[in-house]
Amino acid sequence: MSRYQSPLRDIRFALFDVIDVEPLYARLGFAGAQRDLMDAVLEEAAKFTETVLAPLNAIGDQVGCSFDKETGAVTSPPGFRHAYEQFVEGGWNGLVAPERFGGQGLPESFGVALKEMIDAANLAWGNYPLLSHGATEALKHHGEAWQQEAFLKPIVEGRWTGTMCLTEPHCGTDLGLLKTRAAPNADGSFAISGTKIFITAGEHDFTENIVHLVLARLPDAPPGTKGISLFIVPKMKVGRDGAMGDRNAVRCGSIEHKMGIHGSSTCVMHFDAAQGWLIGQPNKGLMAMFTMMNTARLAVGIQGLGLADRAYQNALAYARDRLQMRSLSGAKFPDKPADPIIVHPDVRRMLLTCKSLIEGGRLLSYHAATLVDVLEHTNDAEEKKRADELLGFLTPIVKACLTEWGIECTYHALQCFGGHGYIREHGMEQLARDARITTVYEGTTGIQALDLLGRKIMQLQGAGLQQFLGMIHAFCDAQAGNAELAEFIAPLAEKANEWQALTMEIGKRAMANADEIGAASTDYLFYSGYVALAYWWARAVAAATASSSPETTTAKRETARFYFARILPRTLAHAAAIHSGTAPLLALDAALFDS
Ligand SMILES: Cc1cc2nc3c(=O)[nH]c(=O)nc-3n(C[C@H](O)[C@H](O)[C@H](O)COP(=O)(O)OP(=O)(O)OC[C@H]3O[C@@H](n4cnc5c(N)ncnc54)[C@H](O)[C@@H]3O)c2cc1C
């Protein structure tokens, strides 16, 4: 079984030393976000995730969820339900929910640390509260007062959970194709009919009620994405007074058998004229969904981070312990029959790739999450607008890069174990299987790339990119005379200029041929992720030099050196692919792919 120890030291370094959240939280008015309280919460979160959730990870994978055809009931793996009860009793469910709905009102970006620990400890289990968070966001922003009263409080208290019901058999990425219908009832509610597939936590045995947020079409809705509305459809009917009534006409038809996250129920859901309530404006359901898209996508990025970190921790321990062969430059541990594999450069390549992507990714994602706090809590309209632009720009990068790196790191970590990684005993193959879904759900990597280049850069004139480049240049200027950082500043400034030029080049070509965007998008996304991480690594060295122990300073500096020498050059390949344009991708006729 794989082990997990919460990386509290690096989480604190990221939050308090590099991103420096304390003055930000004070300025935004988070009265409860004091350092001593946050430290205590982190300690407790570590205890809960290490001792309650992590030990259930393997059994969740091996036993999985089961489905009763007769009743439509889903039973979660042994221990999952009890862990949820402990989670709710500990008040974890409402950690970042507003106090007026029974939450603790802590910053979203602070909650990301808890989320990382949960995902690392037990990703499948973590999907149940994750979906409740999405429902909370939708109701918080778009629900009517009675809907918030009736649904939000039980969700925040953890008595009910939430789901997001978008996908249908013929409609995944392209939501404009969706067919689920909503017919008005005399009492102001709607009768929802249709089938949704792949619904995470659509049915389970944790709570007495499950609140589905469902995308559906009203009778007179225009076709495509302009005719989609958002409805709230509880498993057990709920009156306007919040009282729970009879069973609603919503039923789980089956659960999926999957490559990974076996402990997370993935359900086919049938709505048969089920009672639902409109949230927000008619035909504006997608806009309502977009509000919570940023937090949901950041959350899935964090899943990649958590899995990568757990895999890395285990690979590191194994590499220090496993004796195979001698170092090429002579025995490093002559008293032992062989050297531990951590002496071999190629094993170090894998470990340092993980370390640099994980710790850099932590900074990238935690910083992005602080923008959610700014967006929701600042009273300054200009600051709000800027946070919105930067968050919108960073979200697809965090979602796609951290999940793709999650897959890469879990595979590197498995490789460090050799054959022992491939067999079940050490739990490494589970982490690699579990990581695979994260680049698929909540918008595939390809779709994140289109969102970044097509929407955030081309349609919105790259406002977020300009802000991020501004941050890089300001940092480089401020550190210009700092000899400790000189080795990082020059290449970082050069990459920032290259990023700008590359963006202009794609923009020009896209004016003549829109396919240029699709041809460049995924390479552009990775290019952006690697430059963004270079910035955060330079800042990590600066912060460590200023305030950390000599060990941390050395570790950060050497890892940054590895990153700049061995990972950042991946941008060269991505830039070359982008320069090649559409021809290498589109020249071959689709009919000739199998010739
Ligand atoms: C375990 C699991 C849990 C899930 N949980 C939920 C949930 O809770 N709620 C929910 O609503 N859905 C959920 N989903 C569905 C998930 O979000 C979709 O699978 C995902 O959005 C992709 O849709 P699709 O599978 O239909 O693939 P498709 O949309 O058919 O895409 C197939 C491939 O084509 C690519 N592609 C499509 N269009 C384009 C384009 N224009 N340009 C470039 N590439 C393109 C995609 O990137 C992908 O690689 C879940 C799925 C799984 C497997």
Side-chain angles (χ1 to χ4, degrees):
M1 198 176 90
S2 66
R3 288 171 295 180
Y4 178 62
Q5 189 175 12
S6 304
L8 284 186
R9 191 172 49 185
D10 203 60
I11 286 176
R12 287 196 174 105
F13 177 71
L15 284 173
F16 304 126
D17 293 343
V18 188
I19 302 170
D20 199 16
V21 294
E22 285 174 272
L24 176 72
Y25 293 167
R27 185 165 66 75
L28 294 176
F30 287 104
Q34 310 296 335
R35 177 66 193 259
D36 52 350
L37 181 116
M38 289 191 282
D39 274 329
V41 173
L42 288 174
E43 296 283 344
E44 285 305 310
K47 218 181 284 172
F48 175 73
T49 52
E50 289 169 12
T51 61
V52 177
L53 297 183
L56 297 173
N57 196 41
I59 191 144
D61 182 56
Q62 284 153 27
V63 177
C65 297
S66 56
F67 177 66
D68 183 331
K69 264 191 198 156
E70 299 301 316
T71 62
V74 171
T75 305
S76 59
F80 269 42
R81 181 183 167 161
H82 183 51
Y84 182 76
E85 286 163 6
Q86 290 172 266
F87 178 75
V88 170
E89 273 164 28
W92 296 111
N93 198 50
L95 193 74
V96 300
E99 282 164 298
R100 66 183 192 280
F101 300 120
Q104 295 177 48
L106 283 171
E108 187 73 36
S109 50
F110 180 68
V112 162
L114 167 67
K115 178 125 203 354
E116 180 194 328
M117 294 184 220
I118 290 175
D119 293 334
N122 196 329
L123 178 66
W125 184 93
N127 266 345
Y128 296 90
L130 170 67
L131 272 293
S132 291
H133 185 250
T136 305
E137 288 294 299
L139 282 160
K140 196 172 86 181
H141 291 287
H142 303 286
E144 292 171 29
W146 79 265
Q147 292 172 337
Q148 294 182 338
E149 278 298 314
F151 293 102
L152 250 181
K153 280 190 178 162
I155 294 176
V156 169
E157 285 167 10
R159 290 190 284 118
W160 303 351
T161 62
T163 75
M164 310 292 301
C165 298
L166 289 70
T167 307
E168 298 179 8
H170 57 284
C171 137
T173 301
D174 189 354
L175 291 172
L177 299 173
L178 76 79
K179 290 182 182 163
T180 297
R181 286 163 292 120
N185 292 327
D187 64 356
S189 68
F190 292 82
I192 311 293
S193 302
T195 294
K196 298 283 179 181
I197 63 165
F198 297 161
I199 302 309
T200 300
E203 182 60 72
H204 57 73
D205 55 0
F206 284 16
T207 51
E208 58 186 355
N209 204 359
I210 300 173
V211 177
H212 305 286
L213 294 189
V214 183
L215 288 182
R217 285 186 188 287
L218 291 164
D220 54 352
T225 52
K226 292 205 170 96
I228 298 175
S229 305
L230 181 62
F231 298 87
I232 189 160
V233 187
K235 172 178 163 183
M236 306 299 294
K237 287 183 186 169
V238 175
R240 284 174 179 268
D241 57 357
M244 209 165 70
D246 300 339
R247 182 74 202 248
N248 206 351
V250 47
R251 187 174 52 84
C252 175
S254 60
I255 57 172
E256 305 295 346
H257 301 280
K258 313 187 288 287
M259 175 178 179
I261 54 165
H262 296 159
S264 168
S265 66
T266 306
C267 306
V268 173
M269 299 301 300
H270 299 298
F271 297 86
D272 189 10
Q275 187 188 52
W277 305 93
L278 181 69
I279 305 185
Q281 299 299 309
N283 301 327
K284 300 277 189 233
L286 267 195
M287 267 173 55
M289 276 279 173
F290 276 131
T291 329
M292 65 197 128
M293 219 70 116
N294 282 333
T295 39
R297 290 184 167 177
L298 290 180
V300 176
I302 299 296
Q303 296 188 337
L305 174 67
L307 287 171
D309 190 44
R310 182 174 188 160
Y312 167 67
Q313 288 180 18
N314 284 271
L316 177 60
Y318 191 80
R320 284 176 169 148
D321 196 48
R322 174 75 171 170
L323 306 179
Q324 291 293 299
M325 309 267 294
R326 286 294 179 195
S327 161
L328 292 171
S329 55
K332 298 290 179 288
F333 293 83
D335 52 321
K336 295 186 174 175
D339 282 335
I341 59 172
I342 198 165
V343 304
H344 304 310
D346 193 58
V347 173
R348 288 170 158 258
R349 172 187 63 80
M350 295 188 280
L351 291 172
L352 282 165
T353 298
C354 295
K355 181 171 168 61
S356 64
L357 293 176
I358 292 163
E359 293 174 14
R362 185 170 288 126
L363 291 168
L364 175 69
S365 55
Y366 282 29
H367 166 253
T370 62
L371 298 168
V372 177
D373 292 319
V374 176
L375 188 61
E376 293 194 355
H377 293 272
T378 182
N379 296 319
D380 178 336
E382 179 58 24
E383 189 185 25
K384 198 181 188 75
K385 177 174 165 278
R386 284 175 63 79
D388 193 29
E389 287 167 353
L390 187 55
L391 176 63
F393 168 72
L394 290 174
T395 298
I397 299 175
V398 170
K399 197 289 177 176
C401 287
L402 265 64
T403 56
E404 293 284 351
W405 293 336
I407 293 174
E408 179 179 350
C409 293
T410 52
Y411 268 72
H412 284 316
L414 184 156
Q415 190 76 5
C416 288
F417 278 75
H420 298 273
Y422 191 72
I423 62 170
R424 199 189 255 183
E425 184 186 348
H426 293 279
M428 302 307 284
E429 53 84 44
Q430 183 194 343
L431 298 177
R433 282 186 290 104
D434 284 356
R436 192 63 192 83
I437 185 59
T438 60
T439 63
V440 175
Y441 58 20
E442 214 29 83
T444 59
T445 298
I447 295 310
Q448 303 302 325
L450 282 180
D451 179 44
L452 175 69
L453 190 55
R455 209 173 119 70
K456 308 296 168 45
I457 299 287
M458 298 301 160
Q459 277 179 28
L460 303 178
Q461 282 82 43
L465 170 66
Q466 293 315 319
Q467 276 195 57
F468 199 78
L469 288 172
M471 285 164 59
I472 296 180
H473 289 306
F475 175 74
C476 291
D477 290 348
Q479 299 293 339
N482 185 348
E484 300 267 2
L485 283 192
E487 64 187 295
F488 305 113
I489 296 303
L492 177 60
E494 192 187 314
K495 277 291 159 201
N497 291 335
E498 192 184 88
W499 195 2
Q500 175 86 291
L502 197 58
T503 309
M504 302 285 283
E505 178 194 322
I506 301 167
K508 260 194 212 146
R509 291 209 313 245
M511 284 202 279
N513 177 5
D515 270 333
E516 292 281 353
I517 294 180
S521 53
T522 295
D523 285 292
Y524 184 82
L525 179 132
F526 279 111
Y527 181 97
S528 305
Y530 289 123
V531 181
L533 232 59
Y535 165 73
W536 282 110
W537 266 111
R539 282 202 46 183
V541 177
T545 313
S547 67
S548 295
S549 66
E551 292 80 15
T552 304
T553 307
T554 304
K556 294 296 176 194
R557 178 180 300 284
E558 293 305 334
T559 311
R561 283 180 174 153
F562 168 86
Y563 183 83
F564 273 73
R566 287 272 181 158
I567 304 291
L568 190 57
R570 292 181 184 187
T571 52
L572 301 174
H574 289 301
I578 291 170
H579 293 318
S580 76
T582 57
L585 289 168
L586 299 183
L588 182 63
D589 192 295
L592 297 181
F593 267 58
D594 48 2
S595 295

